[in-house]
Amino acid sequence: MELPTLGWQSIVIFVVFAVSLLIATYCTYAERVIAAFLQDRVGPDRAGPYGLAQPLADAVKMFTKEEFFPGGANKALFVFGPCLAMITALMSSAVIPFGNNISFGNNAFFLQGIEVNIGMLWVFGVVSLGVYGVMIGGWASNNKFSLLGAIRAASQNISYELAMGLSLIAVLMISGTLSLREITLQQSAPGEWAMWNIVRQPLGFIIFLVCAFAETNRTPFDLPECETELVGGYHTEYSSMKLGLYLFSEYVNIFVVSAVMSVLYFGGFNFPFQYELRDWLASSQGWELASAQNLITALGTLGLFAKIFAFIFFFMWIRWTLPRFRYDQLMRLGWTILIPLAVINILITGGLITFGVIK
């Protein structure tokens, strides 16, 4: 790899992590604004204009609160738990393609942190490690309620990862690759924008969406931190920024899973008539092809973030609309409904591919 290309890619990696942190930061603000709107009340309006400085005020509060270690806790693991949860949440965003290729002089690169041909497997592997952060935090707290919350989180994540993985298999059968970039590009054929995977895999998308709520511990699947039964769940004993890392990692995970769903089912950075627009700029308006492609890439990146923000709004809308499940209902949904549906979806997809209905 040439040094200039390596330099540009390093900038992309830095920007990906910075954007992930920035969006997660203001998800806390968006959560309060959306909750206020849905409940017909006033949201944050004191810290800065329209309350926009509220996330900064929260950060100052978290950093300046007293550090607390419970008696009998394993201090090393007590600190390591929230760090692991945050690191794994950020690492999963590295393989998401946020845009098509962009050119600067003789250098062309994708708006993607790293490209590996097992990108989807990377996301699943890293997200699976995140449950260890929850388990370690709950166990190291030396609190039985925290431990119960951590055990709930582990059993919930394992159960719903099975259904999520099975729903993903149907997409992989169609695309024939684990690379998120390749899956995105396959949905970008000229004139075929209506063949995004949401059209070919509606049942798989619904299963994936439900499992995404469970994987991010969002209502109605927020049993690991159910206040009425477990005080505060697995992070009951946490204070200061250690608690902030747990809360922050949840919003990073919401951003990542929203991006993954946008890439897998809604064309990623593709948008309708992008090739027609590029060709019109190059032929009728006298643009250089590289400049026209750069504009299409920028518009595609904006389109992808619009899809991501729509999913984030949906996550928050559901939280302030539906009550949480009982634990037996949660496990029954995962094992007796979603997993069989995902297997049926695989069989249907295989049959459609065999008979040439889906290519």
Side-chain angles (χ1 to χ4, degrees), residues 143 145-146 225-236:
N143 181 316
F145 295 107
S146 297
E225 45 193 64
C226 177
E227 297 89 351
T228 55
E229 301 171 25
L230 299 172
V231 188
Y234 59 88
H235 50 57
T236 298

Side-chain angles (χ1 to χ4, degrees), residues 16-248:
V16 166
F17 280 100
V19 168
S20 300
L21 289 171
L22 180 64
I23 290 178
T25 299
Y26 272 90
C27 275
T28 62
Y29 171 77
E31 182 96 69
R32 297 174 181 182
V33 171
I34 292 172
F37 172 75
L38 294 175
Q39 297 175 348
D40 194 22
R41 58 180 174 82
V42 178
D45 63 347
R46 298 298 181 89
Y50 304 103
L52 288 173
Q54 187 64 50
L56 301 178
D58 292 338
V60 172
K61 178 187 72 173
M62 285 293 185
F63 275 111
T64 55
K65 287 184 74 173
E66 179 186 0
E67 287 280 355
F68 174 79
F69 289 91
N74 186 315
K75 290 188 177 181
L77 293 180
F78 191 75
V79 174
F80 181 67
C83 294
L84 180 60
M86 189 65 190
I87 290 171
T88 53
L90 288 173
M91 286 174 60
S92 55
S93 65
V95 296
I96 296 173
F98 290 99
N100 207 335
N101 63 301
I102 190 168
S103 301
F104 287 101
N106 296 325
N107 296 316
F109 55 90
F110 282 85
L111 298 182
Q112 182 179 9
I114 57 174
E115 163 58 14
V116 288
N117 57 4
I118 55 168
M120 198 59 238
L121 194 60
W122 165 276
V123 173
F124 261 80
V126 171
V127 169
S128 298
L129 290 175
V131 73
Y132 286 101
V134 174
M135 279 298 299
I136 290 172
W139 181 82
S141 296
N142 194 29
N143 181 316
K144 63 181 179 181
F145 295 107
S146 297
L147 181 59
L148 284 173
I151 293 173
R152 278 187 171 190
S155 59
Q156 175 176 312
N157 287 357
I158 292 171
S159 301
Y160 281 83
E161 277 177 5
L162 290 173
M164 180 180 281
L166 290 173
S167 67
L168 179 64
I169 288 176
V171 175
L172 302 181
M173 290 170 64
I174 297 173
S175 60
T177 179
L178 284 164
S179 169
L180 290 175
R181 180 193 295 179
E182 290 298 324
I183 293 174
T184 304
L185 293 177
Q186 287 177 11
Q187 301 176 75
S188 67
E192 295 186 4
W193 65 270
M195 292 306 292
W196 288 350
N197 286 332
I198 182 60
V199 178
R200 297 185 284 184
Q201 283 294 313
L203 178 58
F205 167 69
I206 293 173
I207 297 171
F208 195 98
L209 178 63
V210 174
C211 293
F213 276 90
E215 288 295 301
T216 54
N217 296 332
R218 296 286 296 186
T219 306
F221 298 93
D222 60 338
L223 274 297
E225 45 193 64
C226 177
E227 297 89 351
T228 55
E229 301 171 25
L230 299 172
V231 188
Y234 59 88
H235 50 57
T236 298
E237 299 289 354
Y238 280 89
S239 63
S240 188
M241 200 57 201
K242 296 191 295 297
L243 173 63
L245 289 178
Y246 271 130
L247 302 179
F248 205 58

Side-chain angles (χ1 to χ4, degrees), residues 5 9 17 117 188 191 206 283 295 303 313 315 319 349 352 354:
T5 304
Q9 205 63 39
F17 280 100
N117 57 4
S188 67
I206 293 173
S283 59
L295 177 62
F313 170 78
F315 271 90
R319 174 177 179 178
T349 302
L352 294 176
T354 301

